[in-house]
Amino acid sequence: MNVTSIATQYLMPPSWATTLLVSGTFLAVICPITVLSNALLLIATYKDPFKTFRTPSAYFVVGLAFVDLITGLIPEPMTITCYYRFYNNHPDRNHCVKILEVAGTIAAITMNTSFFIVLAFTFAQYAEVVFPFKFKRLITVRNTVACVVGLFLYAILFESLQLVGVSREVITKIDLHLHSTFSLFLTVIIYLLLQRAFGKQMTVTRRLTLTTINTATSEGCQETRDSCTPSERPTQQKLIEKNFVRLNLVIIVILLICSQPSAIVWYIYLYSGEKTKVSLSLRIAGVVTNNTLFLKSLLDPFVFAWRLPKYRKALKKVFSREG
């Protein structure tokens, strides 16, 4: 979804000063962190010192880091620059209307691609739990790379529809309904199905583990050094399940908080009267909700990668080797 179009509809009046200053400062803080965190993630996966990132899931993460890096390198600095120009009444501020339109188009491509990748990544996880044998045959590294590239090209082609005469309003409405609403809703549904399937799988595993432990105990397993207490392994599995639930909840919350405020503003903007469209409160809300979209590019690498020890160990190994 085009994240700066509302801000470019009108020249910024003086009453925008506080909003632009706060938003520009906020983006100026998160922009370098976004670039650094995603760049380091790409370096760690490219170097791959332990040869652990040649998996389909890792390539989904690479694709996500790539588009988030683009977001931090191009549209965010352009938006920051123009916000400060408007705030300071810079002589070149009128050129920012066009600059923000370009930034919005690029951000729409990267944001939509990131939403698609998260959806594809979620479906791959679901397939791995529900159809483990088909998963190994269908979700390969080659197919994953082709999927990520295809999603990125689709996002570019969609934003290019205006070049062949499709109106901006039609593109925005399709974008809002299909990409910013339906795709996120579908992602949440798949996450819930994934959670349900994983819970069933863990229940079966616990039963099998208890049966195995009880059988071993009855055969005198307690005389060995192996841990055969009926509670230890099931407790560990419950902890895994609890962490899995917690992670999925965090991902869903981040997706909804970062994407839906902007979607709500766009629904109001597109389907309200002209008086509401030009209201100062709606325009301020548009700028503020843009910030939450940009925040997603910062949070993605921490949610999908840096929380995992293997990524942190790989990065540490890369820099220790370079040193």
Side-chain angles (χ1 to χ4, degrees):
M1 184 176 178
N2 194 316
V3 300
T4 56
S5 295
I6 288 182
T8 64
Q9 294 294 324
Y10 312 94
L11 293 179
M12 308 296 183
S15 57
W16 279 69
T18 302
T19 301
L20 295 178
L21 177 61
V22 173
S23 297
T25 303
F26 173 78
L27 293 179
V29 171
I30 70 170
C31 180
I33 304 176
T34 300
V35 173
L36 181 62
S37 59
N38 285 286
L40 291 177
L41 177 56
L42 291 174
I43 292 173
T45 52
Y46 175 75
K47 295 289 186 179
D48 195 8
F50 301 113
K51 307 301 178 185
T52 57
F53 300 136
R54 301 297 184 260
T55 63
S57 297
Y59 280 94
F60 280 124
V61 175
V62 167
L64 194 61
F66 175 73
V67 295
D68 287 339
L69 179 62
I70 294 177
T71 302
L73 286 175
I74 303 178
E76 286 188 20
M78 295 170 70
T79 303
I80 294 168
T81 301
C82 286
Y83 281 0
Y84 281 130
R85 283 185 178 180
F86 280 122
Y87 174 75
N88 293 309
N89 289 320
H90 193 277
D92 293 334
R93 64 185 181 278
N94 292 335
H95 298 297
C96 282
V97 174
K98 184 63 178 178
I99 293 174
L100 286 176
E101 289 179 355
V102 174
T105 299
I106 298 173
I109 293 172
T110 57
M111 292 291 179
N112 282 334
T113 304
S114 71
F115 291 149
F116 300 152
I117 291 176
V118 172
L119 173 59
F121 177 71
T122 307
F123 178 78
Q125 284 187 309
Y126 178 74
E128 185 175 9
V129 173
V130 180
F131 312 108
F133 298 105
K134 292 183 179 180
F135 172 83
K136 293 181 180 179
R137 186 174 68 254
L138 298 177
I139 313 297
T140 63
V141 169
R142 178 179 295 180
N143 290 344
T144 300
V145 173
C147 175
V148 172
V149 173
L151 293 174
F152 186 60
L153 292 177
Y154 165 78
I156 294 176
L157 291 175
F158 180 82
E159 287 299 317
S160 301
L161 288 176
Q162 54 187 325
L163 300 179
V164 295
V166 181
S167 69
R168 182 71 253 180
E169 182 176 357
V170 171
I171 294 175
T172 302
K173 287 183 177 180
I174 296 175
D175 188 17
L176 177 63
H177 291 287
L178 183 60
H179 302 153
S180 298
T181 304
F182 177 74
S183 68
L184 269 296
F185 176 77
L186 184 59
T187 301
V188 172
I189 294 298
I190 296 177
Y191 263 120
L192 295 177
L193 294 175
L194 171 63
Q195 183 59 59
R196 181 181 178 184
F198 186 79
K200 290 182 177 180
Q201 185 184 75
M202 294 300 295
T203 300
V204 173
T205 303
R206 281 197 299 270
R207 290 175 181 174
L208 292 175
T209 302
L210 283 173
T211 301
T212 302
I213 291 176
N214 291 335
T215 301
T217 303
S218 64
E219 294 176 356
C221 179
Q222 63 272 22
E223 296 180 0
T224 69
R225 293 185 178 180
D226 295 331
S227 176
C228 297
T229 57
S231 60
E232 182 175 339
R233 292 182 183 177
T235 300
Q236 184 180 11
Q237 290 165 356
K238 288 181 180 179
L239 180 61
I240 293 174
E241 185 175 0
K242 182 179 180 180
N243 291 335
F244 188 83
V245 172
R246 186 180 302 169
L247 173 62
N248 283 351
L249 180 62
V250 169
I251 292 175
I252 291 174
V253 169
I254 288 176
L255 281 174
L256 294 178
I257 290 179
C258 291
S259 66
Q260 293 314 292
S262 178
I264 292 172
V265 171
W266 272 106
Y267 275 114
I268 297 173
Y269 176 77
L270 291 174
Y271 296 103
S272 62
E274 291 298 323
K275 184 177 180 179
T276 303
K277 288 184 179 182
V278 299
S279 68
L280 179 61
S281 59
L282 181 63
R283 292 155 61 189
I284 291 176
V287 173
V288 172
T289 54
N290 287 346
N291 295 341
T292 63
L293 279 173
F294 285 129
L295 182 62
K296 179 182 179 299
S297 298
L298 169 63
L299 297 177
D300 280 342
F302 295 97
V303 172
F304 290 96
W306 293 126
R307 64 182 178 82
L308 300 175
K310 66 178 183 179
Y311 283 96
R312 298 195 299 270
K313 291 179 180 178
L315 185 64
K316 183 177 179 181
K317 181 68 174 179
V318 168
F319 280 95
S320 63
R321 180 187 300 175
E322 294 295 334

